[in-house]
Amino acid sequence: MSVRISGDFLALDNRIKRLINQHAQAIQTSFPGRDYEIQARIAEEFDQLNGHRVRLELIVTSPERQQIIVREAQKKAEESIKSAFTSLKSKLRRLGARRIQQQMPAQTSLPVAST
């Protein structure tokens, strides 16, 4: 698994980088046979309606080259990171369930024995 962190000055904060890497490692341990590429973009923004927020965008590429994009914006960086990775985990579970369902062979009807 590879994690690339980019963004504004928040991306340089060691505490935030460590938190993103911890959550990425938790994703890896939750899906042990999968090797995901994770790109995390973190930035501060100001919205006139909501005020100051921290936006985190996760772009995850699966081994099958499928991409999942998660965007979260919260007042604090820690809340944004936790919320984004929680959402990512549920999306990866759904993707895994869909992948397993596609791999299952179609059930064929059994011939009825005549008596």
Side-chain angles (χ1 to χ4, degrees):
M1 174 186 66
S2 66
V3 180
R4 192 173 82 206
I5 302 170
S6 63
D8 61 8
F9 286 113
L10 288 174
L12 299 175
D13 187 350
N14 286 331
R15 182 179 54 87
I16 290 176
K17 287 194 300 187
R18 188 172 36 253
L19 190 59
I20 290 173
N21 284 323
Q22 286 173 352
H23 281 284
Q25 188 61 39
I27 291 288
Q28 184 63 41
T29 56
S30 295
F31 303 96
R34 315 291 295 155
D35 190 27
Y36 296 108
E37 293 178 24
I38 300 175
Q39 297 176 23
R41 293 183 194 142
I42 190 163
E44 291 181 288
E45 65 179 27
F46 183 79
D47 183 354
Q48 288 188 0
L49 183 62
N50 297 314
H52 173 80
R53 297 168 67 165
V54 175
R55 177 173 298 279
L56 179 68
E57 179 181 75
L58 296 174
I59 302 172
V60 179
T61 307
S62 71
E64 293 84 22
R65 308 308 299 166
Q66 292 176 317
Q67 277 192 336
I68 298 171
I69 299 174
V70 176
R71 293 181 184 97
E72 285 292 332
Q74 302 287 333
K75 295 284 183 188
K76 297 186 179 211
E78 296 83 8
E79 294 171 1
S80 183
I81 293 168
K82 183 179 178 186
S83 179
F85 275 98
T86 301
S87 179
L88 174 63
K89 194 171 190 177
S90 66
K91 286 186 178 194
L92 288 175
R93 281 196 179 122
R94 266 187 256 130
L95 182 66
R98 194 177 318 136
R99 190 182 80 245
I100 290 171
Q101 202 172 41
Q102 289 173 352
Q103 290 176 351
M104 289 176 45
Q107 290 183 340
T108 58
S109 59
L110 297 175
V112 178
S114 59
T115 54

Coordinates of all heavy atoms in Angstrom, one line a residue, residues 50-105:
N50 N -20.5 28.1 5.7 CA -20.1 27.3 6.8 C -18.9 27.8 7.6 O -18.5 27.2 8.6 CB -19.8 25.9 6.2 CG -21.0 25.2 5.7 OD1 -22.1 25.2 6.3 ND2 -20.9 24.7 4.5
G51 N -18.2 28.8 7.1 CA -17.0 29.3 7.8 C -15.8 28.5 7.4 O -15.7 27.8 6.4
H52 N -14.8 28.5 8.4 CA -13.5 27.8 8.2 C -13.7 26.3 8.3 O -14.4 25.8 9.2 CB -12.5 28.3 9.3 CG -11.3 27.5 9.3 ND1 -10.3 27.8 8.4 CD2 -10.9 26.5 10.0 CE1 -9.3 26.9 8.6 NE2 -9.6 26.1 9.6
R53 N -13.2 25.6 7.4 CA -13.3 24.1 7.4 C -12.0 23.5 6.8 O -11.3 24.1 6.1 CB -14.5 23.6 6.5 CG -15.8 24.1 7.0 CD -16.9 23.9 6.1 NE -17.1 22.5 5.9 CZ -18.2 22.0 5.3 NH1 -19.1 22.8 4.9 NH2 -18.3 20.7 5.2
V54 N -11.8 22.2 7.2 CA -10.7 21.5 6.6 C -11.2 20.4 5.7 O -12.1 19.6 6.1 CB -9.8 20.8 7.7 CG1 -8.7 20.0 7.2 CG2 -9.2 21.9 8.6
R55 N -10.8 20.4 4.5 CA -11.3 19.5 3.5 C -10.3 18.4 3.2 O -9.1 18.7 3.0 CB -11.7 20.2 2.2 CG -12.2 19.2 1.1 CD -12.7 19.9 -0.1 NE -13.8 20.7 0.1 CZ -15.1 20.3 0.2 NH1 -15.3 19.0 0.1 NH2 -16.1 21.1 0.5
L56 N -10.7 17.1 3.3 CA -9.9 16.0 2.9 C -10.5 15.3 1.8 O -11.7 14.9 1.8 CB -9.7 15.1 4.1 CG -8.8 13.8 3.8 CD1 -7.4 14.2 3.6 CD2 -8.9 12.8 5.0
E57 N -9.7 15.0 0.8 CA -10.1 14.2 -0.4 C -9.2 13.0 -0.5 O -8.0 13.1 -0.5 CB -10.0 15.1 -1.7 CG -10.4 14.3 -2.9 CD -10.3 15.2 -4.2 OE1 -9.1 15.4 -4.6 OE2 -11.3 15.7 -4.7
L58 N -9.9 11.9 -0.5 CA -9.1 10.6 -0.6 C -9.4 10.0 -2.0 O -10.6 9.9 -2.4 CB -9.5 9.6 0.4 CG -9.3 9.9 1.9 CD1 -9.9 8.9 2.8 CD2 -7.8 10.0 2.1
I59 N -8.4 9.7 -2.8 CA -8.5 9.0 -4.0 C -7.8 7.7 -3.9 O -6.6 7.6 -3.7 CB -7.9 9.8 -5.2 CG1 -8.6 11.2 -5.3 CG2 -8.1 9.1 -6.5 CD1 -7.9 12.1 -6.2
V60 N -8.6 6.6 -3.9 CA -8.1 5.3 -3.7 C -8.2 4.5 -5.0 O -9.2 4.4 -5.6 CB -8.9 4.6 -2.6 CG1 -8.3 3.2 -2.4 CG2 -8.8 5.4 -1.3
T61 N -7.1 3.8 -5.4 CA -7.1 3.0 -6.6 C -6.9 1.6 -6.1 O -5.9 1.2 -5.4 CB -5.9 3.4 -7.5 OG1 -6.0 4.8 -7.8 CG2 -6.0 2.7 -8.8
S62 N -7.8 0.7 -6.6 CA -7.7 -0.7 -6.2 C -6.8 -1.5 -7.2 O -6.4 -0.9 -8.2 CB -9.1 -1.3 -6.3 OG -9.6 -1.4 -7.6
P63 N -6.4 -2.7 -6.8 CA -5.6 -3.5 -7.7 C -6.2 -3.7 -9.1 O -5.5 -3.9 -10.1 CB -5.4 -4.8 -7.0 CG -5.6 -4.5 -5.6 CD -6.6 -3.4 -5.5
E64 N -7.5 -3.7 -9.2 CA -8.2 -3.8 -10.5 C -8.3 -2.5 -11.2 O -9.0 -2.4 -12.2 CB -9.7 -4.4 -10.2 CG -9.7 -5.8 -9.7 CD -9.6 -5.8 -8.2 OE1 -9.8 -4.8 -7.5 OE2 -9.2 -6.9 -7.7
R65 N -7.7 -1.5 -10.7 CA -7.6 -0.1 -11.3 C -9.0 0.6 -11.2 O -9.3 1.5 -12.0 CB -7.1 -0.1 -12.8 CG -5.8 -0.9 -13.0 CD -4.7 -0.5 -12.1 NE -4.3 0.9 -12.3 CZ -3.5 1.6 -11.4 NH1 -3.1 1.0 -10.4 NH2 -3.3 2.8 -11.6
Q66 N -9.8 0.3 -10.2 CA -11.0 1.0 -10.0 C -10.7 2.1 -9.0 O -9.9 1.9 -8.0 CB -12.1 0.1 -9.4 CG -12.6 -0.9 -10.3 CD -13.6 -1.9 -9.7 OE1 -13.4 -2.3 -8.6 NE2 -14.6 -2.2 -10.4
Q67 N -11.3 3.3 -9.1 CA -11.0 4.4 -8.3 C -12.2 4.7 -7.4 O -13.4 4.6 -7.8 CB -10.7 5.7 -9.0 CG -9.3 5.7 -9.5 CD -8.9 7.1 -10.0 OE1 -9.8 7.9 -10.4 NE2 -7.6 7.4 -9.9
I68 N -12.0 5.0 -6.2 CA -13.0 5.5 -5.2 C -12.5 6.8 -4.7 O -11.4 7.0 -4.3 CB -13.1 4.5 -4.0 CG1 -13.5 3.1 -4.5 CG2 -14.1 5.0 -3.0 CD1 -13.5 2.1 -3.4
I69 N -13.5 7.8 -4.7 CA -13.2 9.1 -4.3 C -14.1 9.5 -3.1 O -15.3 9.3 -3.2 CB -13.3 10.2 -5.4 CG1 -12.4 9.8 -6.6 CG2 -13.1 11.6 -4.9 CD1 -12.6 10.7 -7.8
V70 N -13.5 9.9 -2.0 CA -14.2 10.3 -0.8 C -13.8 11.8 -0.5 O -12.6 12.1 -0.4 CB -13.9 9.4 0.3 CG1 -14.6 9.9 1.6 CG2 -14.3 8.0 0.0
R71 N -14.8 12.6 -0.3 CA -14.5 14.0 0.1 C -15.2 14.3 1.4 O -16.4 14.0 1.5 CB -15.0 15.0 -1.0 CG -14.2 14.9 -2.2 CD -14.7 15.9 -3.2 NE -14.0 15.7 -4.5 CZ -14.5 15.0 -5.5 NH1 -15.7 14.5 -5.4 NH2 -13.8 14.9 -6.6
E72 N -14.5 14.9 2.4 CA -15.1 15.3 3.6 C -14.6 16.6 4.0 O -13.4 16.9 3.8 CB -14.8 14.3 4.7 CG -15.5 13.0 4.7 CD -17.0 13.1 5.0 OE1 -17.4 14.0 5.7 OE2 -17.7 12.2 4.4
A73 N -15.5 17.4 4.7 CA -15.0 18.7 5.2 C -15.6 18.9 6.5 O -16.9 18.8 6.7 CB -15.5 19.8 4.2
Q74 N -14.8 19.1 7.5 CA -15.2 19.3 8.9 C -14.5 20.5 9.5 O -13.6 21.1 8.9 CB -14.9 18.1 9.7 CG -15.5 16.8 9.3 CD -17.0 16.7 9.5 OE1 -17.5 17.3 10.4 NE2 -17.7 16.0 8.7
K75 N -14.9 20.9 10.7 CA -14.3 22.1 11.3 C -12.8 21.8 11.7 O -12.0 22.7 11.6 CB -15.0 22.5 12.6 CG -16.4 23.0 12.3 CD -16.3 24.4 11.7 CE -17.7 25.0 11.5 NZ -17.7 26.2 10.8
K76 N -12.5 20.6 12.1 CA -11.2 20.2 12.6 C -10.6 19.2 11.7 O -11.3 18.3 11.1 CB -11.2 19.7 14.0 CG -11.7 20.7 15.0 CD -11.5 20.2 16.4 CE -12.0 21.3 17.4 NZ -11.3 21.2 18.6
A77 N -9.3 19.2 11.5 CA -8.6 18.2 10.6 C -8.8 16.8 11.1 O -9.1 15.9 10.3 CB -7.1 18.6 10.6
E78 N -8.7 16.6 12.4 CA -8.9 15.2 12.9 C -10.3 14.6 12.6 O -10.4 13.5 12.2 CB -8.7 15.2 14.4 CG -7.3 15.5 14.9 CD -7.0 17.0 15.0 OE1 -8.0 17.8 14.8 OE2 -5.9 17.4 15.2
E79 N -11.3 15.5 12.7 CA -12.7 15.0 12.4 C -12.8 14.7 10.9 O -13.5 13.7 10.5 CB -13.7 16.1 12.8 CG -13.7 16.3 14.3 CD -14.6 17.6 14.7 OE1 -15.1 18.2 13.7 OE2 -14.7 17.9 15.9
S80 N -12.2 15.5 10.1 CA -12.3 15.4 8.7 C -11.6 14.1 8.2 O -12.1 13.3 7.4 CB -11.7 16.6 8.0 OG -11.8 16.4 6.6
I81 N -10.4 13.8 8.8 CA -9.7 12.6 8.5 C -10.5 11.3 8.9 O -10.6 10.4 8.2 CB -8.3 12.6 9.1 CG1 -7.5 13.8 8.5 CG2 -7.6 11.3 9.0 CD1 -6.2 14.1 9.3
K82 N -10.9 11.4 10.2 CA -11.7 10.2 10.7 C -12.9 9.9 9.9 O -13.2 8.8 9.5 CB -12.1 10.4 12.2 CG -12.8 9.3 12.8 CD -13.1 9.5 14.2 CE -13.8 8.3 14.8 NZ -14.3 8.6 16.1
S83 N -13.7 11.0 9.5 CA -14.9 10.8 8.8 C -14.6 10.3 7.4 O -15.4 9.4 6.9 CB -15.6 12.2 8.7 OG -16.8 12.1 8.0
A84 N -13.6 10.8 6.7 CA -13.3 10.4 5.4 C -12.9 8.9 5.3 O -13.3 8.1 4.5 CB -12.2 11.2 4.8
F85 N -12.0 8.5 6.3 CA -11.6 7.1 6.3 C -12.7 6.1 6.7 O -12.8 5.0 6.2 CB -10.4 6.9 7.2 CG -9.1 7.2 6.5 CD1 -8.5 8.4 6.6 CD2 -8.5 6.3 5.7 CE1 -7.3 8.7 5.9 CE2 -7.3 6.5 5.0 CZ -6.7 7.8 5.1
T86 N -13.6 6.6 7.6 CA -14.8 5.8 7.9 C -15.7 5.5 6.7 O -16.1 4.4 6.4 CB -15.6 6.4 9.0 OG1 -14.8 6.6 10.2 CG2 -16.8 5.6 9.4
S87 N -15.9 6.6 5.9 CA -16.7 6.5 4.7 C -15.9 5.6 3.7 O -16.6 4.8 3.0 CB -16.9 7.9 4.1 OG -17.6 7.8 2.9
L88 N -14.6 5.7 3.6 CA -13.8 4.9 2.6 C -14.0 3.5 3.0 O -14.1 2.6 2.1 CB -12.4 5.4 2.7 CG -11.4 4.5 1.9 CD1 -11.8 4.6 0.4 CD2 -10.0 4.9 2.1
K89 N -13.9 3.1 4.2 CA -14.0 1.7 4.7 C -15.3 1.1 4.2 O -15.3 0.0 3.7 CB -13.8 1.6 6.2 CG -13.5 0.2 6.7 CD -13.1 0.3 8.1 CE -12.6 -1.0 8.6 NZ -12.1 -1.0 10.0
S90 N -16.4 1.8 4.4 CA -17.7 1.2 4.0 C -17.8 1.1 2.5 O -18.3 0.1 2.0 CB -18.8 2.0 4.5 OG -18.8 3.3 3.9
K91 N -17.2 2.0 1.7 CA -17.2 1.9 0.3 C -16.3 0.8 -0.2 O -16.7 0.1 -1.2 CB -16.7 3.2 -0.4 CG -17.7 4.3 -0.3 CD -17.3 5.6 -1.0 CE -18.4 6.6 -0.9 NZ -18.2 7.7 -1.9
L92 N -15.2 0.5 0.5 CA -14.3 -0.6 0.1 C -15.0 -1.9 0.4 O -14.9 -2.9 -0.4 CB -13.0 -0.5 0.8 CG -12.1 0.6 0.3 CD1 -10.8 0.7 1.2 CD2 -11.7 0.4 -1.1
R93 N -15.8 -2.0 1.5 CA -16.5 -3.2 1.8 C -17.6 -3.5 0.7 O -17.7 -4.6 0.3 CB -17.2 -3.1 3.2 CG -16.3 -3.4 4.3 CD -17.0 -3.6 5.6 NE -16.1 -3.9 6.6 CZ -16.0 -3.2 7.7 NH1 -16.8 -2.2 8.0 NH2 -15.1 -3.5 8.6
R94 N -18.3 -2.4 0.3 CA -19.3 -2.6 -0.8 C -18.6 -3.1 -2.1 O -19.2 -3.9 -2.8 CB -20.1 -1.3 -1.0 CG -21.3 -1.3 -0.2 CD -22.2 -0.1 -0.6 NE -22.0 0.9 0.5 CZ -21.7 2.1 0.4 NH1 -21.5 2.7 -0.8 NH2 -21.5 2.9 1.5
L95 N -17.5 -2.5 -2.4 CA -16.8 -2.8 -3.6 C -16.3 -4.3 -3.5 O -16.4 -5.0 -4.5 CB -15.6 -1.9 -3.8 CG -14.8 -2.2 -5.1 CD1 -15.6 -1.8 -6.3 CD2 -13.5 -1.3 -5.0
G96 N -15.8 -4.7 -2.4 CA -15.4 -6.1 -2.2 C -16.6 -7.1 -2.3 O -16.5 -8.1 -2.9
A97 N -17.7 -6.7 -1.7 CA -18.9 -7.6 -1.8 C -19.4 -7.7 -3.3 O -19.7 -8.8 -3.7 CB -20.0 -7.0 -1.0
R98 N -19.3 -6.6 -4.0 CA -19.7 -6.6 -5.4 C -18.7 -7.5 -6.2 O -19.1 -8.2 -7.1 CB -19.7 -5.2 -6.0 CG -20.4 -5.1 -7.3 CD -20.5 -3.7 -7.8 NE -20.8 -2.7 -6.8 CZ -20.2 -1.5 -6.6 NH1 -19.3 -1.1 -7.5 NH2 -20.6 -0.7 -5.7
R99 N -17.4 -7.4 -5.9 CA -16.4 -8.2 -6.6 C -16.6 -9.7 -6.4 O -16.5 -10.5 -7.3 CB -15.0 -7.7 -6.1 CG -13.9 -8.3 -7.0 CD -12.5 -7.9 -6.4 NE -12.2 -8.8 -5.3 CZ -12.0 -8.4 -4.1 NH1 -12.1 -7.1 -3.8 NH2 -11.7 -9.2 -3.1
I100 N -16.9 -10.0 -5.1 CA -17.2 -11.5 -4.8 C -18.4 -12.0 -5.5 O -18.4 -13.1 -6.0 CB -17.3 -11.6 -3.3 CG1 -15.9 -11.4 -2.6 CG2 -17.8 -13.0 -2.9 CD1 -15.9 -11.4 -1.1
Q101 N -19.4 -11.1 -5.5 CA -20.7 -11.5 -6.2 C -20.5 -11.7 -7.7 O -21.0 -12.6 -8.3 CB -21.7 -10.4 -6.0 CG -23.1 -10.8 -6.1 CD -24.1 -9.7 -5.7 OE1 -23.8 -8.5 -6.0 NE2 -25.1 -10.1 -4.9
Q102 N -19.6 -10.9 -8.3 CA -19.3 -11.1 -9.7 C -18.5 -12.3 -10.0 O -18.6 -12.9 -11.1 CB -18.6 -9.8 -10.3 CG -19.5 -8.6 -10.4 CD -18.7 -7.4 -10.7 OE1 -17.4 -7.4 -10.8 NE2 -19.4 -6.3 -11.0
Q103 N -17.7 -12.7 -9.1 CA -16.9 -13.9 -9.3 C -17.6 -15.2 -9.1 O -17.2 -16.2 -9.6 CB -15.7 -13.9 -8.3 CG -14.7 -12.8 -8.6 CD -13.6 -12.7 -7.6 OE1 -13.6 -13.4 -6.5 NE2 -12.5 -11.9 -7.8
M104 N -18.7 -15.2 -8.4 CA -19.5 -16.4 -8.2 C -20.1 -16.8 -9.5 O -20.7 -16.0 -10.2 CB -20.6 -16.1 -7.1 CG -20.1 -16.0 -5.7 SD -21.3 -15.6 -4.5 CE -22.6 -16.7 -4.8
P105 N -20.0 -18.2 -9.8 CA -20.7 -18.6 -11.0 C -22.2 -18.6 -10.9 O -22.7 -18.7 -9.8 CB -20.2 -20.1 -11.1 CG -19.8 -20.5 -9.7 CD -19.4 -19.2 -9.0

